[in-house]
Amino acid sequence: AVTNVDVEVLKSNPTANLSNALAGNVSGVLAMQTSGQPGVNTSEFWIRGISTFGANSSALVLVDGFERDLDEINIEDIESFTVLKDASTTAIYGSRGANGVVLITTKHGKEGKIKINAKVETSYNARTITPEFADGYSYAMPYRANLNMSGGGSTARYFVSLSYVNEEGMYKTDDAMRKDYNTNPSSQRWNYRLNTDIDVTKTTLVKVGVSGSLKKRNAPGL
């Protein structure tokens, strides 16, 4: 009914979208990627199948208690990842949790010296089958960078994170045309997060969090 997912397992398969890492790694979760276009190559996923058809058929995703899009979350910011599957564990979320609930807790600062972590990942994708009418080479290069910093003292702690994801398309384009406009599909996404914990008194803890994402996408025909 409740599955606690090891975040390191999700990190073992580098991907630009967190939803793509669920397939085969989380028990009871079905994931299907419907497009390979940069920026929209996310997976639709269901917990123990689809129990409600039509509107709101997807699982409810809560990040630090607030509903968010799963693919707007930087995997390096995740402290814990829990999946609630059956009716008894999702009852408190009402009808919105009928198709399962994903609970994500992000990292917070800890008392001590400042810690800075930086990570850069690059991977290569290629088509498994190239149609006969599409001769020429194909290439793709998803690129992901992450930088986070945490620290604080006995009264206040903080965690700051910034990540960048770049995905390029697989089309062979004319170099002369690219000087004026790049016709290749592409997607760039920036995620940012700030979590602050402040001990106002011995019995009162104030938590302040700010997060968001910016996205720029070049799509065919646009």
Side-chain angles (χ1 to χ4, degrees):
V2 179
T3 300
N4 293 313
V5 182
D6 186 353
V7 180
E8 295 301 322
V9 173
L10 298 179
K11 293 181 182 179
S12 63
N13 182 25
T15 177
N17 303 290
L18 181 55
S19 61
N20 294 342
L22 298 181
N25 290 324
V26 181
S27 175
V29 173
L30 304 176
M32 179 179 65
Q33 186 173 336
T34 59
S35 174
Q37 184 184 152
V40 293
N41 55 348
T42 59
S43 293
E44 297 182 33
F45 70 96
W46 302 271
I47 299 175
R48 287 189 174 178
I50 303 176
S51 60
T52 303
F53 289 92
N56 295 328
S57 62
S58 59
L60 174 64
V61 178
L62 296 177
V63 180
D64 293 335
F66 295 92
E67 187 171 356
R68 292 288 304 275
D69 186 338
L70 186 64
D71 288 313
E72 292 180 358
I73 308 302
N74 176 21
I75 193 171
E76 298 294 335
D77 293 348
I78 298 177
E79 182 72 32
S80 65
F81 191 108
T82 303
V83 180
L84 308 183
K85 302 176 182 178
D86 66 1
S88 62
T89 57
T90 61
I92 62 174
Y93 301 100
S95 60
R96 188 64 185 87
N99 292 288
V101 180
V102 175
L103 300 178
I104 296 177
T105 301
T106 58
K107 295 178 180 178
H108 286 253
K110 298 180 180 179
E111 182 178 350
K113 296 181 179 179
I114 296 176
K115 294 182 179 179
I116 300 177
N117 296 312
K119 183 178 182 180
V120 175
E121 292 181 331
T122 302
S123 61
Y124 177 85
N125 291 339
R127 291 189 291 267
T128 55
I129 300 176
T130 300
E132 294 181 0
F133 55 84
D135 53 1
Y137 67 91
S138 63
Y139 70 93
M141 182 179 295
Y143 178 85
R144 184 171 67 189
N146 179 80
L147 176 66
N148 64 64
M149 180 173 62
S150 62
S154 58
T155 303
R157 281 81 56 196
Y158 62 88
F159 174 84
V160 183
S161 173
L162 178 66
S163 68
Y164 170 71
V165 179
N166 178 52
E167 295 180 274
E168 296 182 359
M170 297 184 179
Y171 298 166
K172 182 178 180 180
T173 58
D174 190 341
D175 291 338
M177 294 181 61
R178 294 183 64 179
K179 294 180 181 179
D180 299 324
Y181 179 75
N182 190 350
T183 57
N184 227 335
S186 64
S187 174
Q188 294 86 38
R189 188 176 75 245
W190 296 263
N191 289 348
Y192 57 89
R193 175 174 296 277
L194 169 63
N195 288 337
T196 305
D197 300 339
I198 304 174
D199 294 315
V200 179
T201 67
K202 292 183 179 180
T203 58
T204 304
L205 173 64
V206 175
K207 293 187 176 182
V208 179
V210 178
S211 65
S213 66
L214 301 173
K215 188 173 184 179
K216 179 180 179 182
R217 186 166 70 91
N218 187 30
L222 297 180

